[in-house]
Amino acid sequence: MASQNGNEELPAPWKEAWRSFCKNKLAVVGLGIVIFFIILAAIAPLIAPYGFKEQELSNRLLAPSGEHWFGTDDFGRDIFSRIVYGARISIWVGFFSVLASAVIGTILGIVAGYYGKWVDTLISRIFDIMLAFPSILLAIAVVAILGPSLQNALIAIAIINIPNFGRLVRSKVLSVKQEEYIMAAKAVGMKDTRILFRHILPNSMTPIIVQGTLAIATAIIEAAALGFLGLGAQAPTPEWGKMLADSKQYLVQAPWTLFFPGLAIMLTVLGFNLMGDGLRDVLDPKMKQ
């Protein structure tokens, strides 16, 4: 709806949700952290003093200083520069893996919840089988089949998160399809695809948004875990988990080589978790008084 001066305004429910979100100080802090790392990733070439591949063996394992803010690693590479470029990788993997799993999981969940019967049984059993395995073990199995690389790690993370979105959407569809307006749409002969994507899907978006925000944090951790195990990003890619793996033998000699990549992972995950909790509190009717 447009205001009298012609400017676009948010619909009233979203304006109220934004006000409620802003009242949650921890959620605002989380949003600030997320925005900070997104900006950091976007302007990495402008603020990184060195290239992430740039080596200088005479400067290996230097402590933090004015020249190298976070110190250097065992190849003499500037850790600050690698962390800045690594933000691009972690956010890219987190966002696109969750986007893929959300799209596939949502489609499967809608189909299972709306049509029911054997379709629901088949899809639900597939979800149950996938959820029977610890997520990281399933991701390791997928990467072992496809081969270790950043792209295959992204595919693995997307696959293991599909059941989470699928079951969430299925439960939402089971309740939405019993609403009177859905019954009326069926009665007038509206096609199933139109009912699904014009009525059921829009009314199921709230839990998907919340789950997606929290899933990005999980995906970043999973990508770091695969990188740490040598199954994700390969050298010299500045992925935070891979940086931890390469520096673990220098824990006593050069602890900064582990501290700063670990801090970057912790802060990014914390930001998405705090923001996701805030969105859940605002958008989930069960959380409201």
Side-chain angles (χ1 to χ4, degrees), residues 92-111:
W92 177 76
V93 170
F95 178 80
F96 283 101
S97 64
V98 169
L99 179 62
S101 58
V103 171
I104 298 173
T106 297
I107 293 174
L108 292 175
I110 287 178
V111 171

Side-chain angles (χ1 to χ4, degrees), residues 62-76:
L62 291 180
S65 63
E67 184 177 1
H68 299 283
W69 295 351
F70 291 176
T72 62
D73 63 11
D74 55 321
F75 286 97

